[in-house]
Amino acid sequence: MSRTSTHWPGVLAVVAAGLAIALNVGKVPVALPTLRSELGLSLVQAGWVSSMLTTVAVFSAAIVGMWVGRLGALRMVLAGLLVCAASSLLPVLAPAGWAVLIVCRFFEGFGFMVVAVACPALITAASGPDQRRFALGLWSSYMPAGASVAMASAPLLLPHTGWRGLWLLTSLGLV
């Protein structure tokens, strides 16, 4: 069913979901020195923690796109946010170490990819033809805006919360 007008609350909710998942990209670079120090990560391990999210995205995008088409964009976005939130919360609750962190980053990457692939379909469905390009242009800001917020706030939060607090806050932002 094609809309004639744009449902802006829906579009903004979808953009907010994108901003929330992008926090998971921006939280890691600033926290890497703390992670290396507390968990004894080597440079290679730290590199994997940093790049796991994008590595998963590269290898899962096409498959996730097919799932979105079959299972529905809204269902997939909600599932992706839940997976991402749980994956960000688990290292805070579990005994932290390299294995827990890298497995959780893998699932964060998967949740990230699900949300990133499914959201444009929701924006397209929620926007009228005259405003669709603007709505999708608004969506395109999710990654730089969310990652920037995380990178700008992390130096202020890390001394008070440590990396676990940062992970907890990004998890709460996803629910």
Side-chain angles (χ1 to χ4, degrees):
M1 183 167 127
S2 182
R3 296 186 68 91
T4 56
S5 65
T6 299
H7 184 261
W8 286 109
V11 169
L12 294 176
V14 172
V15 172
L19 289 169
I21 62 162
L23 293 172
N24 288 300
V25 175
K27 72 183 179 185
V28 173
V30 180
L32 273 179
T34 305
L35 286 168
R36 288 196 64 218
S37 167
E38 283 189 33
L39 302 178
L41 301 180
S42 69
L43 282 175
V44 172
Q45 289 170 324
W48 273 107
V49 169
S50 180
S51 65
M52 180 56 76
L53 194 137
T54 52
T55 301
V56 171
V58 165
F59 290 107
S60 67
I63 294 166
V64 168
M66 290 187 304
W67 286 355
V68 168
R70 288 191 174 116
L71 300 175
L74 180 59
R75 184 176 296 145
M76 292 296 287
V77 167
L78 295 175
L81 290 170
L82 183 61
V83 166
C84 216
S87 300
S88 192
L89 184 60
L90 186 60
V92 174
L93 302 176
W98 156 250
V100 171
L101 192 58
I102 200 69
V103 168
C104 288
R105 285 296 287 170
F106 174 86
F107 284 104
E108 275 182 318
F110 185 73
F112 170 87
M113 183 50 35
V114 167
V115 173
V117 169
C119 281
L122 292 178
I123 290 176
T124 300
S127 59
D130 293 344
Q131 296 169 324
R132 187 164 296 136
R133 288 181 4 173
F134 179 76
L136 288 168
L138 195 59
W139 163 252
S140 72
S141 69
Y142 85 94
M143 178 61 86
S148 297
V149 165
M151 292 179 89
S153 61
L156 302 171
L157 294 171
L158 280 170
H160 305 290
T161 67
W163 70 268
R164 286 179 178 85
L166 188 58
W167 262 241
L168 177 63
L169 289 172
T170 58
S171 178
L172 291 174
L174 290 159
V175 289

